[in-house]
Amino acid sequence: MPADPLHRAGTAQRSTTSQPPSGSGASAIEVRRSARRRRTVSAYREGDRTVVLIPARMSEAEEQRWVNVMLDKLAAQESKRALGDAELTERARRLSDQYFDGRARPASVRWVTNQNTRWGSCTPSEGSIRLSHRLQGMPEYVVDYVLLHELAHLLVPGHGPRFWELLEAYPRTERARGYLEGVVAAERLPHVPGARGESPAE
C-alpha cells in the first residue's frame, strides 16, 4: 500500500515498534500515531517492516485491535492469487502431515462456487473436500483453518469433543474463527466507504 501522505509530509506523530504475531510475514510492526489523523487507519509494507498509521487518540487496546485488522487486510491483499485445486490438495496433505500425523488423506480438494452459507464441506466416504470460493483472497491462516476443519471431519464425524481436540493442534484456530465471524458480521452491515488502503476507525 502507498505511504500515507500526511506521514510523508512530516506530520507530528509518535511511533512504536513491536514484533508481529506469529506468521504475519513481517519481522516488525511499527505503529505511527498522528494528531492530524482523525478517523482512518492505514497500513503498508516498508521493506520487512509493516507500518500501521493510526489516530493519536486511540487507546492501547484499540491500537492492538486495529493492528490485527490491518495485518489481516494486508495478508489478504497479498494472497489474492488463488491456489489451484492441485495446489489446494497438496496444501491439505501438508497440513495433515503437520497437525494430524498424516492420518487425514483427502482424495480431492477443490474450490466450489455453490457454497454461500458455509466455508467448507467434506464427504468422508469419498474423501472429498470442497472449499467456498469466498475464501479466496483471505489470509492464509484462515484458509488453512478451514482445510484443517474439513480434514478433521475425515477422521471424526460431527463436532464433538474429539473433533475440537484435533483442531487444538492448530495454534491459530481461535483467531481464524474470529476472522470468519467478523466477515459474517460485516456482511450484515451497510458498506462504509473509505479511501483506498484505509479503514475508518471507530
Side-chain angles (χ1 to χ4, degrees):
M1 288 186 182
D4 177 65
L6 291 180
H7 166 246
R8 298 180 105 178
T11 305
Q13 51 199 341
R14 182 164 59 86
S15 174
T16 58
T17 302
S18 62
Q19 293 302 310
S22 175
S24 68
S27 63
I29 299 164
E30 182 176 344
V31 177
R32 297 176 184 169
R33 289 175 174 261
S34 170
R36 291 179 59 183
R37 179 175 286 268
R38 298 296 183 185
R39 292 189 57 80
T40 59
V41 178
S42 62
Y44 59 92
R45 303 291 193 201
E46 192 174 79
D48 63 354
R49 180 185 303 271
T50 299
V51 178
V52 182
L53 307 166
I54 66 173
R57 63 178 175 79
M58 275 195 178
S59 68
E60 288 187 13
E62 289 175 317
E63 172 185 318
Q64 186 56 57
R65 182 169 70 87
W66 276 103
V67 165
N68 288 335
V69 167
M70 298 311 290
L71 285 176
D72 283 343
K73 290 186 76 168
L74 282 174
Q77 290 172 352
E78 291 167 352
S79 63
K80 283 291 187 186
R81 186 184 72 83
L83 296 171
D85 290 349
E87 294 170 297
L88 204 58
T89 300
E90 179 56 32
R91 186 165 179 166
R93 288 175 178 160
R94 286 200 307 269
L95 288 168
S96 177
D97 289 341
Q98 182 175 357
Y99 295 103
F100 301 155
D101 298 321
R103 289 179 294 135
R105 306 307 281 185
S108 67
V109 185
R110 61 191 175 90
W111 297 107
V112 294
T113 58
N114 61 351
Q115 287 190 165
N116 294 316
T117 59
R118 59 176 64 185
W119 300 111
S121 62
C122 79
T123 305
S125 61
E126 299 175 358
S128 62
I129 290 175
R130 297 162 299 283
L131 296 192
S132 171
H133 71 288
R134 295 191 303 148
L135 288 164
Q136 293 174 345
M138 290 189 187
E140 289 184 0
Y141 75 88
V142 177
V143 177
D144 285 350
Y145 164 73
V146 177
L147 278 171
L148 282 165
H149 187 108
E150 302 309 328
L151 286 167
H153 278 310
L154 295 180
L155 302 173
V156 179
H159 294 96
R162 286 186 58 230
F163 175 85
W164 294 110
E165 283 172 13
L166 283 174
L167 284 183
E168 284 177 2
Y170 183 54
R172 308 193 79 176
T173 287
E174 289 306 314
R175 187 175 180 197
R177 284 170 58 84
Y179 183 97
L180 293 172
E181 288 168 1
V183 170
V184 171
E187 288 175 348
R188 297 178 183 146
L189 297 174
H191 176 65
V192 179
R196 183 178 179 182
E198 295 191 336
S199 291
E202 295 168 354

